[in-house]
Amino acid sequence: MDVVTHWRAGERWTGSGDRLGDVYDPATGQVARQVALASAGDVEAVVSVAAEAGREWAAASLSRRTAVLFSFREVLARRRSEVAAAITAEHGKVLDDALGEVQRGLEVVEFACGAPHLLKGGFSDGVSTGVDVYSLRQPLGVVGVVSPFNFPAMVPLWFVPVAIACGNAVVLKPSEKDPSASLLLAEMWAEAGLPAGVFSVLQGDKVAVDGLLTHPDVKAVSFVGSTPVARYVYETGTAHGKRVQALGGAKNHMVVLPDADLEAAADAAVSAGFGSAGERCMAISALVCVDPVADALVPLIASRMAALVTGDGRRGCDMGPLVTGEHRAKVTSYVEAGVAAGASLVVDGREVVPTGEPGGFWLGPTLFDRVEPGMSVYDEEIFGPVLSVVRVATYDDALALVNANLYGNGTAIFTHDGGAARRFQREVEVGMVGINVPIPVPMAYYSFGGWKSSLFGDTHAHGTEGVHFFTRGKVVTSRWPSPDAPRAGVDLGFPQHE
Ligand code: NAD
């Protein structure tokens, strides 16, 4: 059986090879290949190569670095369908969705192509007599990127191009559930002319992550995954002196006010609730209907759901399988818990008839009405195709519900009332807000990140915050007196401007 290897020193590398994990085809339920799981020794071997390569890359000129970025952009654009096929084969999302994921990653590469402008410092001429002050941003060295299963290309691409453009060496630790896209990206960096060792892939699990979090040569870690692991990564990494940005889980609410266009709101709720089988950190999982919206909106949503085809993502369906059998069992257990807690099950995805092999990890779109806080189907992140309608009496009740939630990744409001929308975007305690837009993923030149338990650390991904995360600021104060200027002489006072 094929083994997905690490990538070290510009080529595939098997490492110690003492532990392997299974990688499934979620649409058949079969083990399709295996993946190497790094040992502590493998971490050392990869980081030491990265550290050496990183020293040279940090010294490479901005034009040389940018030329590689531009070239990588072309290679990725040309080979995007290969990446999308690898994603669908291991994650299960439908091909169009996988292509969309690559496109959003490509946009970050394009942003990183602007590195010369992004890394420009400031200069103040003559702050004192003969004295100028200027600022630099310098690379950190080796940085780790740890990514989740749900975006095997896009999430690595949120960080890797920016880190590389800033002059760092990157070690990517992909999800062990869908590791193949990472090797395609590695091949493409090599094809684009990136020197060997500047980008490495360390396949594996907690052993690999812990190795990166504690290695003295790894200066920063960007993590994306579930909240408990994000919290652990943040605490462990910072305790070892690293800069860490750890993006965690989500429970995204979409608020619908009575004046909203309900047809548009129904389209949005179905798209954002069931796209990628709900396995998106920006998926809508709680639909907050301000009275009397739900009475009209729930049937509109249910009728759209009846038209969705669940099946093998390679066969032109609307929604693919869940990523593993274990994950499907977990999501199904939330459906059972919702029924037991008294929520009203409007559409039961457990009864789906998929267009695909019977062994696939299928669960169809599921809709609950009359869900309330206190039910696990509302309180917890499900990360599957389960949409819960929560009925509230007023706008204030809706806002209070969103703000009381543990998570603060994304949210949306649907309304025709500009004043209400403006009030919502100011008052809601969430990092990314959509107004009549259900999945408000910021463009690459803005920064992506949530609030509260959806992000640990201070900086968001990509945009200027990404550039700041992957560089250290330095301010230089220089004195070049005129040849005829008198010497200042000894002065024990604190320096003051003249
Ligand atoms: P996960 O937390 O299980 O795994 C994420 C990464 O951490 C993987 O590379 C995994 O190998 C590693 N990991 C897992 N357990 C670990 C441990 N105990 N110690 C160290 N490393 C560990 O997440 P997942 O299931 O792959 O992805 C889904 C989660 O990611 C969801 O919670 C989703 O909301 C979140 N997510 C968040 C964002 C965001 O932007 N906030 C984006 C995508 C996904």
Side-chain angles (χ1 to χ4, degrees):
M1 188 171 280
D2 279 353
V3 174
V4 184
T5 64
H6 313 286
W7 183 271
R8 175 178 175 265
E11 56 188 21
R12 284 166 200 261
W13 181 65
T14 50
S16 56
D18 51 357
R19 288 189 310 134
L20 296 174
D22 290 336
V23 180
Y24 289 88
D25 176 346
T28 64
Q30 302 297 311
V31 175
R33 56 191 67 80
Q34 292 190 299
V35 58
L37 301 175
S39 64
D42 295 335
V43 179
E44 182 58 47
V46 167
V47 172
S48 63
V49 166
E52 199 180 324
R55 275 189 284 278
E56 276 187 38
W57 185 241
S61 70
L62 272 177
S63 38
R64 175 150 179 249
R65 283 192 231 150
T66 312
V68 172
L69 263 293
F70 270 91
S71 175
F72 180 72
R73 193 253 165 228
E74 295 309 306
V75 178
L76 180 57
R78 176 166 45 80
R79 296 181 58 182
R80 69 175 86 193
S81 50
E82 273 178 71
V83 183
I87 294 170
T88 297
E90 294 180 352
H91 174 284
K93 66 177 74 172
V94 301
L95 263 176
D96 271 1
D97 194 24
L99 274 169
E101 154 170 9
V102 180
Q103 175 58 32
R104 293 311 296 258
L106 202 54
E107 289 164 11
V108 184
V109 182
E110 288 165 356
F111 167 75
C113 286
H117 180 72
L118 296 164
L119 292 170
K120 269 194 325 200
F123 186 92
S124 297
D125 176 58
V127 297
S128 185
T129 309
V131 177
D132 306 322
V133 175
Y134 50 97
S135 62
L136 317 173
R137 296 210 69 87
Q138 296 186 314
L140 305 177
V142 180
V143 301
V145 173
V146 179
S147 58
F149 81 83
N150 66 319
F151 284 111
M154 184 186 78
V155 166
L157 289 169
W158 279 352
F159 306 104
V160 176
V162 181
I164 287 179
C166 291
N168 301 286
V170 181
V171 178
L172 169 65
K173 206 303 280 175
S175 169
E176 62 275 45
K177 296 189 177 109
D178 43 18
S180 292
S182 66
L183 285 191
L184 288 172
L185 295 178
E187 277 177 21
M188 294 180 202
W189 281 113
E191 192 181 336
L194 187 71
V198 178
F199 178 68
S200 312
V201 179
L202 188 65
Q203 308 287 3
D205 52 14
K206 181 172 167 53
V207 174
V209 177
D210 285 345
L212 292 174
L213 289 173
T214 54
H215 197 295
D217 284 346
V218 176
K219 302 302 180 192
V221 174
S222 298
F223 170 90
V224 181
S226 57
T227 286
V229 184
R231 186 181 286 115
Y232 165 79
V233 164
Y234 183 76
E235 288 173 355
T236 310
T238 51
H240 285 81
K242 292 174 207 326
R243 192 178 278 203
V244 181
Q245 51 180 183
L247 284 70
K251 188 84 192 179
N252 303 315
H253 296 65
M254 171 172 152
V255 176
V256 186
L257 300 189
D259 70 338
D261 175 342
L262 292 192
E263 297 285 345
D267 289 340
V270 172
S271 307
F274 306 118
S276 198
E279 292 169 325
R280 287 183 186 143
C281 61
M282 292 292 273
I284 293 295
S285 55
L287 189 63
V288 185
C289 295
V290 176
D291 287 341
V293 160
D295 291 339
L297 188 57
V298 169
L300 292 178
I301 291 173
S303 67
R304 284 161 171 75
M305 290 171 67
L308 295 179
V309 178
T310 301
D312 188 325
R314 293 162 287 218
R315 295 196 204 167
C317 304
D318 297 302
M319 199 183 94
L322 292 177
V323 67
T324 58
E326 190 188 354
H327 188 55
R328 184 194 43 189
K330 186 175 161 206
V331 176
T332 307
S333 76
Y334 280 112
V335 178
E336 286 156 9
V339 172
S344 152
L345 186 58
V346 182
V347 181
D348 187 350
R350 295 170 298 182
E351 294 168 357
V352 72
V353 181
T355 308
E357 302 293 318
F361 306 133
W362 310 114
L363 179 67
T366 298
L367 180 65
F368 276 113
D369 193 2
R370 302 185 187 280
V371 170
E372 291 173 11
M375 298 178 177
S376 64
V377 71
Y378 174 78
D379 291 343
E380 293 172 32
E381 180 183 39
I382 299 176
F383 221 57
V386 181
L387 185 60
S388 297
V389 173
V390 185
R391 296 174 176 237
V392 295
T394 64
Y395 164 85
D396 286 326
D397 293 341
L399 180 73
L401 186 74
V402 180
N403 284 349
N405 200 267
L406 178 70
Y407 301 103
N409 212 40
T411 188
I413 187 164
F414 276 69
T415 177
H416 274 145
D417 181 341
R422 186 166 186 277
R423 189 180 155 197
F424 183 73
Q425 54 97 9
R426 289 172 72 87
E427 294 177 348
V428 76
E429 293 176 17
V430 171
M432 293 171 283
V433 182
I435 297 174
N436 298 317
V437 172
I439 307 185
V441 175
M443 297 300 289
Y445 34 91
Y446 285 84
S447 297
F448 182 109
W451 288 12
K452 301 192 278 187
S453 292
S454 294
L455 189 142
F456 301 89
D458 305 311
T459 40
H460 294 190
H462 60 67
T464 48
E465 293 199 32
V467 174
H468 273 244
F469 184 77
F470 289 120
T471 51
R472 284 192 291 185
K474 185 181 272 181
V475 178
V476 180
T477 304
S478 73
R479 184 197 299 275
W480 293 111
S482 312
D484 53 353
R487 272 186 46 227
V490 173
D491 179 357
L492 299 194
F494 196 71
Q496 294 186 34
H497 308 306
E498 310 137 20

